[in-house]
Amino acid sequence: MSSATTLKGQPLDRAALESMLRRRMFYTPSFEIYGGVSGLYDYGPPGCALQANIIDLWRKHFVLEEDMLEVDCSVLTPHEVLKTSGHVDKFADWMCKDPENGEILRADHFVEDILESRLKGDKEARGQKVEEKEEDPKKKKKKAKSTAVLLDDAVVKEYEEILAQIDNYNGEQLGELIKKYDLRNPATNRQPEPPVSFNLMFQTSIGPSSNIPGYLRPETAQGQFLNFAKLLEFNTGQMPFASASIGKSYRNEISPRGGLLRVREFLMAEIEHFVDPEGHKKHARFHEVEDIELAFLDRDTQLSGSTAVKKQTIGQAVKEGLVDNETLGYFLARIHLFLKKLGVDQTKIRFRQHMANEMAHYACDCWDAELLTSSGWIECVGCADRSAYDLSVHANKTGAPLVVRAQLDEPKVYEEWEVQIEKKKFGPLFKKNGKTIENAILATPQEELAKLAKELEETGKITVNVPGVADGKVEVSKDLVAVKWVKRVEHTREYTPNVIEPSFGIGRILYSLIEHNYWTRGTEGGDEARGVLSFPPTVAPTKVLIVPLSNNKEFTPTAHKLSQKLRSAGISSRVDDSGASLGKRYSRNDELGTPFGITIDFQTVQDGTITLRERDSTRQVRADEEKILEAIKALVDDKKTWQDIESELPLFVSQEIEVAQR
Amino acid sequence: MSSATTLKGQPLDRAALESMLRRRMFYTPSFEIYGGVSGLYDYGPPGCALQANIIDLWRKHFVLEEDMLEVDCSVLTPHEVLKTSGHVDKFADWMCKDPENGEILRADHFVEDILESRLKGDKEARGQKVEEKEEDPKKKKKKAKSTAVLLDDAVVKEYEEILAQIDNYNGEQLGELIKKYDLRNPATNRQPEPPVSFNLMFQTSIGPSSNIPGYLRPETAQGQFLNFAKLLEFNTGQMPFASASIGKSYRNEISPRGGLLRVREFLMAEIEHFVDPEGHKKHARFHEVEDIELAFLDRDTQLSGSTAVKKQTIGQAVKEGLVDNETLGYFLARIHLFLKKLGVDQTKIRFRQHMANEMAHYACDCWDAELLTSSGWIECVGCADRSAYDLSVHANKTGAPLVVRAQLDEPKVYEEWEVQIEKKKFGPLFKKNGKTIENAILATPQEELAKLAKELEETGKITVNVPGVADGKVEVSKDLVAVKWVKRVEHTREYTPNVIEPSFGIGRILYSLIEHNYWTRGTEGGDEARGVLSFPPTVAPTKVLIVPLSNNKEFTPTAHKLSQKLRSAGISSRVDDSGASLGKRYSRNDELGTPFGITIDFQTVQDGTITLRERDSTRQVRADEEKILEAIKALVDDKKTWQDIESELPLFVSQEIEVAQR
């Protein structure tokens, strides 16, 4: 049992939740009738709708709100692009092999697992109550069983410090930890072999004669970078701007576990915000968010072996230099607001800074928005400062000008020495050495040029050091070369933008959101707890359930008409005219997280009134169709609360009792 | 020059259109700064928005309208699944190799190309005007050049007949055509080698030790089939129902060409409608569509060498058996309505039936909705009857019950002979032959059982033929076996549903839609034609352009306020406050297909009125902000036409002249 809690603070029974999600087909292992493939999941109808609503909100909150340029780029990516970006060489995890049974273990998870089980054993030996530690999403292959063995206090401290910075070790260091603490695979009681690097990209080849080696992209970012010049032009040359992309990415995880939290194929939503690095990356809208308070867990705290967060406004955090710049800070706050709007529990968010060894090869700073779940703190959004890394490496490789030419407000004036060479006379005189001598003169630094100018004026020639030509010294007369003091005016400045990248793992957010909105209510007299998913109306998979009291044919036309009216108002609904009892149907509905329910009964047929039920309180109001539809529209558009509706429309009581009794 | 036309009937200049689409970043070759990879494209901001709007309309028209169960399944698919589905063995094209330069040619495209160029040469020799034949999307590697060579009339007829059914030949037949007509690769003047099969799936392997061979799915359908049992349960067991899925699929085309029309990575939207095969696949809502007239090109017409379409209502077509059943017919009509709603030119749609050799291995009938473009008729939607093929093969392979158990309205009563065997006595008596003898008796057909019953009653024993036991005849006495006339009542019927599959290639629809809505208008006095994309407001990438008259700071607050108001009404807009002239900005806008434009000028600052411009007519009205916003909402929601607006709000003329002059 984990120490995670439901929306109402009840202990969260993950097995019960998972069985409910399975029963309601939120998601399901892919290819299950073929035995499944780990790390691959299909979304069923409610999961698919939930995902679409999260994406829709994301698009409104980020893309539309800030006029971002959304693009949709290819997943198939040729080798050369990912070689240049560094992914072919560096996008890898450390794995080690068990020498006896050949089992493949992810090295960091293995170390973490064994140390945690030893700490647990120590607690048992000390007779302390063992609260199961929140499980990490990077779950273990064969969970190491703890045995009650007492450890030295100093050893306990060492283990705890290692665990607090487990993401900070490289392969060699992990290998040393395994040897130093004699960590053994529980399945064979053998130390695994030293960690080796395993590239996480799926490989394929493109074309009929397998001529182009390629990969499935591990992130959507590269496509956005490669299109930078076109996007800048589309944006009529204006900076800063952001591109955005929603699409699948792929990582061949070594041993995926933990349901939706670590998968091999996943939907990402990524923003690449391009900003001028000059002027410390200010953001024009930073003032709108500066008072928002966030929970920070910085790098130094983690390295000191602690996970205590510090609450602070983002304005203060940027001022103090905890968060490097306004643009990075602006996006951290915007991410926070997005997660809040989705319905994430505000007490279960923190922003954790990456440690030096943990950061991706392209990042110079990175903060993760982590959400607390029954699997521990889960990285759901990464917000990295990728500096000019990507644009620079692609520009260097291809020669494409991935730069911005900015008009200077005030032209810059330079004065300097300039060498002018009479090329026409140079060649005939010096023959094959001409170019070498020319280059040697041109390479002369400014401070030397002053001397040359003087020499030229005084002696009518200069003597230049040209290693390899004649005796290494060459005389050049003033009819061949001039050195002059010139004035230069620059009207533009060319720079490679820096990139701030907020990157969202939609599946992880979706799963965390489910846990944060899950709770159970007892049935009156019943012994089985009934699950409820209290999604906000905006993100709920379906907004309205329409339930005819029974499968009496008299109710069908009304159900049909209501469903059509809701549809044309853009509100998703479902009719449940199955034979099940009203209570059963509402229970199913609560499990699906549908916020509102309409009942059609015999009174409806007589006077045209219908009842509207609210999922969380199970309270109902009754009014004529038009008023109820208006109420639903206002609720779904977040313009009214259920309290508003209760104060406006008459409560309906009798049916509620009936529902509760079932 | 092709014979394709624009929306206004002008000859369509594909080069001009493509340059415009490129300039406005509708789409662009992926990885272009690395030289690109053929068959891979990225969508820029307007293409991405257009795609999102097509998907949105699709979801409303199909998924919401019919309560389909939308799912999102994995792209990565293990080998075994696609082996069972038949794709590993049969999802292939025929390719041949040039023996000299090793060039890979797609066999059918090669034959088509050479025959077409010979026909063209013949026309030239006859002195006829050569209208460039509409190009096929399956475009050619090196376009065969026509030379004026006269052909026999009989040969011309043969070529035309071959071309009309080019999709009907298998590899062997294509090889014969190459030999018979001595078709040579123009690049080398050599006959290519005989066609060989090339599987179109991208291969990869899943897991750290490359233990699971897999593919990128070539269609979204398999994931839906594998989930059939869960979906049926989610639908509370009710039939018929449909699942639906929107997602990327992958085909390793031999030589992709023709822009978005033949690509290696593409977005699909697929519906799998599951229906009881009993009762000839009636559809409850068929009456709603039966009067819709479609243009049919059936199998027999094509085989006879013609491409003449027949116009008919779908009701009539199903009645006459041209279209096999109501469900298939219902979806053809719904596809037609969807394409119409998108803004596809009604004179450029036909429904073409597949020929026997052309159909996918799983299909028993298939109709394509084809759209006419400058590349000829393009298959944009396939509507196949996959019968029970897929569910059956997966059920057979895995043992999973992919069936429906239906309650019978009236229980079925059977009466028949039944053999009852005393197993306890059988073994001890017959020893190792027991099972063989038992099976021999149980395998006895009904008509024989009657005789055995009589024999048993009369003689107290039966003699059974059991090859391989004793002398092939075994006597069994009545204490070991009984044969009785029994009555059986069945309350349920078990069946494997048939599948009707409408399958949409979103990229092809998107490109065709662009061509169908493209036209040019001359500039007054100018010599350059200005492109316009007349998308219906619902699908247009952006709905409103906001243009301040100049970059005067006075206009900024109004532009900002309008953009916020539109956003909160769910209407996408863009502000263009670049320094370009008003005329230039409206031109850019017309090229992007934005239906409405708002101008903010000095009068706005004085009296709060703004002008609203309609893209196609370039006419404008002027009114206060509130009225204009109301008008836009009504226009975008398709509740009013521009004519309605013109009759309600005062025309604005002066500015229009100014715009036209630029």
Side-chain angles (χ1 to χ4, degrees), chain A residues 28 30-32 34 42-43 45 51 70-76 84 203-204 207 227 230 250 252 265 394, chain B residues 28 30-32 34 42-43 45 51 70-76 84 203-204 207 227 230 250 252 265 394:
Chain A
T28 180
S30 300
F31 320 111
E32 199 174 21
Y34 279 85
D42 295 343
Y43 287 81
Q51 177 181 266
E70 190 178 337
V71 296
D72 184 7
C73 304
S74 290
V75 170
L76 286 169
T84 306
Q203 213 170 347
T204 190
N227 280 309
K230 290 175 197 166
Y250 294 81
N252 198 0
E265 174 174 332
H394 289 303
Chain B
T28 181
S30 300
F31 319 110
E32 199 173 22
Y34 278 85
D42 295 342
Y43 287 115
Q51 177 180 267
E70 190 178 336
V71 296
D72 184 7
C73 303
S74 290
V75 170
L76 286 169
T84 306
Q203 214 170 347
T204 191
N227 280 310
K230 290 174 198 167
Y250 295 81
N252 199 0
E265 173 173 334
H394 288 303

Side-chain angles (χ1 to χ4, degrees), chain A residues 583-612:
Chain A
K584 267 229 174 87
R585 284 184 281 168
Y586 272 131
S587 275
R588 179 151 68 204
N589 189 58
D590 292 347
E591 291 190 343
L592 287 165
T594 310
F596 308 108
I598 288 175
T599 324
I600 303 165
D601 53 23
F602 290 105
Q603 196 183 330
T604 311
V605 182
Q606 284 164 23
D607 67 6
T609 62
I610 50 183
T611 72
L612 178 64

Side-chain angles (χ1 to χ4, degrees), chain A residues 166 274 305 389:
Chain A
I166 188 70
F274 300 98
Y389 177 82

Side-chain angles (χ1 to χ4, degrees), chain A residues 22-25 28-34 37-38 40-46 48 51-52 59-60 64-78 80-81 84 95 104 198 202-209 212 216-217 223 226-227 230-231 233-236 238 248 250 252-255 264-265 393-394 397-398 400 402 564 567 572-578 588 592, chain B residues 22-25 28-34 37-38 40-46 48 51-52 59-60 64-78 80-81 84 95 104 198 202-209 212 216-217 223 226-227 230-231 233-236 238 248 250 252-255 264-265 393-394 397-398 400 402 564 567 572-578 588 592:
Chain A
R22 209 182 153 75
R23 190 165 64 244
R24 296 302 166 219
M25 210 181 170
T28 180
S30 300
F31 320 111
E32 199 174 21
I33 66 174
Y34 279 85
V37 176
S38 59
L40 296 178
Y41 288 87
D42 295 343
Y43 287 81
C48 195
Q51 177 181 266
R59 208 174 242 144
K60 283 183 185 141
L64 296 183
E65 180 63 32
E66 316 205 12
D67 283 336
M68 291 175 179
L69 305 182
E70 190 178 337
V71 296
D72 184 7
C73 304
S74 290
V75 170
L76 286 169
T77 306
E80 212 186 345
V81 170
T84 306
M95 68 173 181
I104 306 282
F198 172 69
F202 285 99
Q203 213 170 347
T204 190
S205 60
I206 307 169
S209 37
I212 308 174
L216 305 189
R217 66 177 178 201
L226 298 188
N227 280 309
K230 290 175 197 166
L231 289 166
E233 194 195 330
F234 185 85
N235 206 42
T236 60
Q238 291 176 59
K248 283 199 173 171
Y250 294 81
N252 198 0
E253 295 288 345
I254 292 171
S255 50
R264 286 173 165 153
E265 174 174 332
V393 294
H394 289 303
K397 178 73 185 175
T398 63
L402 303 180
Q564 277 203 318
R567 189 182 299 138
S572 65
S573 71
R574 268 200 106 75
V575 177
D576 185 349
D577 54 5
S578 72
R588 179 151 68 204
L592 287 165
Chain B
R22 210 182 153 74
R23 192 166 61 243
R24 296 302 166 219
M25 211 183 169
T28 181
S30 300
F31 319 110
E32 199 173 22
I33 65 173
Y34 278 85
V37 176
S38 59
L40 297 179
Y41 289 88
D42 295 342
Y43 287 115
C48 194
Q51 177 180 267
R59 209 174 241 143
K60 282 183 185 140
L64 295 182
E65 180 62 34
E66 314 205 15
D67 283 335
M68 292 175 178
L69 305 182
E70 190 178 336
V71 296
D72 184 7
C73 303
S74 290
V75 170
L76 286 169
T77 307
E80 212 185 347
V81 170
T84 306
M95 68 173 182
I104 305 284
F198 172 70
F202 285 98
Q203 214 170 347
T204 191
S205 60
I206 307 168
S209 37
I212 308 174
L216 305 190
R217 66 178 177 200
L226 298 188
N227 280 310
K230 290 174 198 167
L231 288 166
E233 194 194 330
F234 185 85
N235 207 42
T236 62
Q238 292 176 60
K248 282 199 172 170
Y250 295 81
N252 199 0
E253 294 288 345
I254 292 171
S255 49
R264 287 173 165 153
E265 173 173 334
V393 294
H394 288 303
K397 178 72 185 176
T398 63
L402 303 181
Q564 278 203 319
R567 188 183 301 140
S572 64
S573 70
R574 267 200 107 76
V575 176
D576 184 348
D577 52 6
S578 72
R588 178 152 68 204
L592 287 166

Side-chain angles (χ1 to χ4, degrees), chain B residues 322-357:
Chain B
L322 175 64
V323 171
D324 180 68
N325 60 71
E326 282 191 2
T327 300
L328 191 55
Y330 176 75
F331 280 109
L332 293 185
R334 292 283 300 160
I335 290 165
H336 179 90
L337 291 175
F338 169 68
L339 293 172
K340 190 172 166 183
K341 226 184 255 182
L342 274 187
V344 152
D345 188 329
Q346 292 302 290
T347 65
K348 295 176 181 171
I349 311 183
R350 73 179 184 195
F351 285 85
R352 187 178 71 79
Q353 189 175 29
H354 277 207
M355 290 165 286
N357 278 338

Side-chain angles (χ1 to χ4, degrees), chain B residues 342-575:
Chain B
L342 274 187
V344 152
D345 188 329
Q346 292 302 290
T347 65
K348 295 176 181 171
I349 311 183
R350 73 179 184 195
F351 285 85
R352 187 178 71 79
Q353 189 175 29
H354 277 207
M355 290 165 286
N357 278 338
E358 181 186 0
M359 270 191 287
H361 60 274
Y362 48 72
C364 70
D365 194 8
C366 186
W367 288 85
D368 284 343
E370 296 188 328
L371 300 180
L372 184 60
T373 72
S374 59
S375 294
W377 286 98
I378 301 300
E379 170 202 343
C380 288
V381 188
C383 193
D385 185 338
R386 294 178 80 135
S387 69
Y389 177 82
D390 304 271
L391 293 181
S392 304
V393 294
H394 288 303
N396 287 344
K397 178 72 185 176
T398 63
L402 303 181
V403 292
V404 177
R405 290 184 64 84
Q407 200 73 27
L408 287 170
D409 288 341
E410 278 184 34
K412 271 197 181 167
V413 179
Y414 299 92
E415 283 191 286
E416 60 177 12
W417 291 105
E418 188 183 81
V419 177
Q420 292 158 355
I421 283 174
E422 289 286 329
K423 297 200 179 186
K424 278 182 196 162
K425 297 183 186 167
F426 228 70
L429 186 61
F430 294 114
K431 304 271 164 21
K432 68 175 170 58
N433 290 325
K435 201 72 199 164
T436 317
I437 299 167
E438 192 181 321
N439 286 343
I441 301 173
L442 289 174
T444 317
Q446 283 286 322
E447 55 275 23
E448 301 278 317
L449 285 178
K451 283 185 222 159
L452 286 192
K454 204 173 166 221
E455 191 184 337
L456 202 60
E457 199 187 3
E458 288 171 357
T459 67
K461 61 179 166 54
I462 51 174
T463 307
V464 196
N465 292 321
V466 191
V469 175
D471 60 350
K473 287 197 187 296
V474 178
E475 280 194 356
V476 186
S477 67
K478 69 173 178 187
D479 57 328
L480 293 173
V481 71
V483 180
K484 289 188 180 155
W485 184 246
V486 295
K487 194 172 182 177
R488 222 180 264 290
V489 185
E490 278 191 9
H491 296 275
T492 58
R493 177 174 70 91
E494 202 176 87
Y495 67 88
T496 302
N498 278 20
V499 174
I500 307 290
E501 177 193 77
S503 170
F504 298 71
I506 301 300
R508 289 183 172 192
I509 293 174
L510 181 143
Y511 179 76
S512 306
L513 190 66
I514 288 175
E515 274 204 8
H516 287 200
N517 284 282
Y518 172 66
W519 58 288
T520 54
R521 56 179 154 224
T523 44
E524 274 177 51
D527 50 357
E528 202 195 335
R530 295 188 331 197
V532 184
L533 287 170
S534 288
F535 298 124
T538 16
V539 298
T542 304
K543 314 306 179 199
V544 182
L545 174 79
I546 301 172
V547 269
L549 188 64
S550 69
N551 52 13
N552 189 313
K553 292 275 173 245
E554 264 190 281
F555 302 140
T556 312
T558 312
H560 191 68
K561 186 183 60 183
L562 284 171
S563 126
Q564 278 203 319
K565 284 197 175 174
L566 287 167
R567 188 183 301 140
S568 71
I571 296 166
S572 64
S573 70
R574 267 200 107 76
V575 176

Side-chain angles (χ1 to χ4, degrees), chain B residues 22 60 141 151 163 171 275 393 433 436 507 599 621 626 635:
Chain B
R22 210 182 153 74
K60 282 183 185 140
K141 213 153 197 167
L151 304 172
L163 289 172
V275 58
V393 294
N433 290 325
T436 317
T599 322
V621 294
E626 202 178 322
L635 287 162

